[in-house]
Amino acid sequence: MFKSAINGFITAWKGMTLTIGHLFASKKTREITRVSDDNYFKKLEGTNTIQYPKQQLPVPEVGRYQLDVEMDDCIVCDLCAKICPVDCIDIESIKATEAIGQTSDGTTKRLYAAKFDIDMAKCMYCGLCTVVCPTECITMTNTYDRTVFELSDLVYEFSDMTKEEAEEKRALLEKQNAEKQAAKLAAMKKKEEGQ
């Protein structure tokens, strides 16, 4: 019993010596360097942790962080929502009655984006949505710190169409479809009378 008490005291003494040694050895702040630099891990000896948010670690150029959508280039093809493994992209499209413009790469836009929401709380940052996008309008930015107090604040709404505008576009589409259907029925009736 006496031997185990001395062994416990020696173990505690070694641990405290190590802790106190690190406490007094850290006299300088950490320099921001890249991992690829020579002696990266040696430079960390005798330093404190970074003083965030005053200091920040460098963000890799190929890092995958927050998603961003350039709605002017989006053709609302829904491929990003279909490939998303966690279903964090919610898109609602309305068919246009005519071509509504072109993207920066010349693709004709024929759908309105009534809703284009991305829930970053669900996103697993895999980047599949950016790969499949034909117009490359959805990208991953280098912004990684989006601290919020409410979970609902992590749902980013990219569509700039109001509910009233969406209802107006739906009404125009229904009107056009009704006119096409009436013309089709009139043509069928005329064809039957001609026989």
Side-chain angles (χ1 to χ4, degrees):
M1 182 167 140
F2 181 70
K3 190 174 185 179
S4 63
I6 289 183
N7 192 19
F9 179 74
I10 291 172
T11 304
W13 177 257
K14 286 180 181 178
M16 289 303 293
T17 305
L18 183 65
T19 303
I20 291 171
H22 279 289
L23 176 69
F24 291 112
S26 60
K27 296 178 181 167
K28 59 182 179 178
T29 57
R30 181 174 176 171
E31 296 174 15
I32 304 299
T33 57
R34 299 216 172 262
V35 178
S36 59
D37 289 349
D38 294 334
N39 298 324
Y40 173 77
F41 294 101
K42 277 289 189 192
K43 291 178 184 177
L44 299 179
E45 291 179 0
T47 61
N48 295 318
T49 59
I50 62 168
Q51 303 299 312
Y52 186 81
K54 295 177 202 169
Q55 277 186 311
Q56 292 183 358
L57 289 174
V59 177
E61 293 173 11
V62 292
R64 295 190 299 225
Y65 300 108
Q66 297 292 321
L67 287 170
D68 186 44
V69 180
E70 185 61 47
M71 288 306 295
D72 293 336
D73 285 342
C74 183
I75 58 172
V76 198
C77 63
D78 204 29
L79 289 175
C80 54
K82 289 176 183 170
I83 201 164
C84 181
V86 292
D87 198 27
C88 72
I89 301 174
D90 189 16
I91 297 175
E92 184 181 321
S93 63
I94 302 171
K95 188 175 180 182
T97 55
E98 57 188 26
I100 55 175
Q102 289 189 335
T103 63
S104 61
D105 68 352
T107 307
T108 304
K109 295 175 70 170
R110 299 189 185 275
L111 296 170
Y112 292 106
K115 181 180 183 183
F116 197 117
D117 297 348
I118 299 178
D119 188 352
M120 292 307 294
K122 286 183 182 178
C123 182
M124 59 186 261
Y125 304 95
C126 63
L128 290 174
C129 55
T130 62
V131 173
V132 76
C133 182
T135 59
E136 297 180 359
C137 69
I138 186 166
T139 57
M140 293 195 124
T141 64
N142 61 355
T143 305
Y144 62 90
D145 186 13
R146 292 276 178 105
T147 307
V148 294
F149 290 106
E150 297 293 328
L151 196 60
S152 60
D153 292 339
L154 287 172
V155 178
Y156 300 138
E157 299 171 356
F158 292 101
S159 178
D160 54 357
M161 185 178 281
T162 63
K163 289 184 180 182
E164 293 79 22
E165 290 174 332
E167 288 303 320
E168 180 184 329
K169 302 298 182 191
R170 284 188 188 99
L172 284 172
L173 180 63
E174 286 175 13
K175 182 181 176 185
Q176 184 188 42
N177 287 342
E179 289 171 358
K180 283 182 179 179
Q181 185 66 23
K184 186 177 178 182
L185 289 173
M188 287 176 59
K189 189 175 183 182
K190 187 177 180 183
K191 185 177 178 183
E192 287 175 2
E193 289 175 358
Q195 289 181 351

